[in-house]
Amino acid sequence: MSAQKIVHLPTAAEVEQAKVSSRTLSKYTDVDRVQLSLRGSNGEADELVLPGHVLQILLDVLAEVSQGNAISLIPYHQEISTQDAANLLNVSRPFLVKLLEAGDIPFRKVGAHRRVKLQDVLSYKEQVDRQRHSALDELAELSQDEGMGY
């Protein structure tokens, strides 16, 4: 499967449709599967069954669209550019390159370009988030021990 970069900002009508669809589907978030009946504007109709986790992904997509956001779907094993990785981590591309060169995130070179696996970027993000939460918990505990914040 090749990942194509297609950006489509939803129209006002699509935002409203996403809000209605999301409210309807949200009733089924706790099920392990859901059966859907589809009827297209072309007259085609089908029945299908979605696993619960796929329904949750669909709800996430609808939530973003209902807020007027464009979305992108990237397979977990996909390689991404350094700019895309930097955007995911909310850092500059030069900072990301330093992380790569320091060995913090694995990468490979394709010609002169670095490619990073999405799963490695997400793993690094989870690791950093855990460290941040741990540091914040420590600070909160120290503040309480010292009687600060009263």
Side-chain angles (χ1 to χ4, degrees), residues 76-149:
Y76 188 67
H77 65 275
Q78 181 76 35
E79 285 187 329
I80 58 176
S81 70
T82 53
Q83 186 61 62
D84 290 337
N87 291 345
L88 277 172
L89 295 176
N90 200 25
V91 299
S92 68
R93 196 188 68 74
F95 182 81
L96 178 86
V97 170
K98 287 179 186 175
L99 292 174
L100 299 178
E101 296 300 331
D104 293 341
I105 303 173
F107 72 98
R108 73 182 183 103
K109 277 196 141 182
V110 178
H113 302 281
R114 294 172 189 86
R115 292 289 178 251
V116 187
K117 287 186 181 177
L118 175 62
Q119 64 196 41
D120 292 332
V121 174
L122 295 176
S123 292
Y124 175 81
K125 182 175 177 12
E126 286 175 18
Q127 173 191 344
V128 168
D129 287 347
R130 279 193 306 273
Q131 290 170 345
R132 283 185 186 138
H133 287 292
S134 177
L136 286 172
D137 289 344
E138 251 182 75
L139 284 173
E141 189 176 319
L142 283 172
S143 296
Q144 289 176 354
D145 291 346
E146 297 297 320
M148 300 172 83

Side-chain angles (χ1 to χ4, degrees), residues 1-15:
M1 170 195 276
S2 69
Q4 295 181 354
K5 291 192 176 189
I6 299 172
V7 176
H8 168 75
L9 289 173
T11 65
E14 291 168 338
V15 166

Side-chain angles (χ1 to χ4, degrees), residues 8-20 23 62 64-69:
H8 168 75
L9 289 173
T11 65
E14 291 168 338
V15 166
E16 285 307 310
Q17 287 172 344
K19 285 179 185 177
V20 171
R23 281 192 293 268
L62 288 170
E64 291 299 322
V65 172
S66 72
Q67 294 173 24
N69 297 327

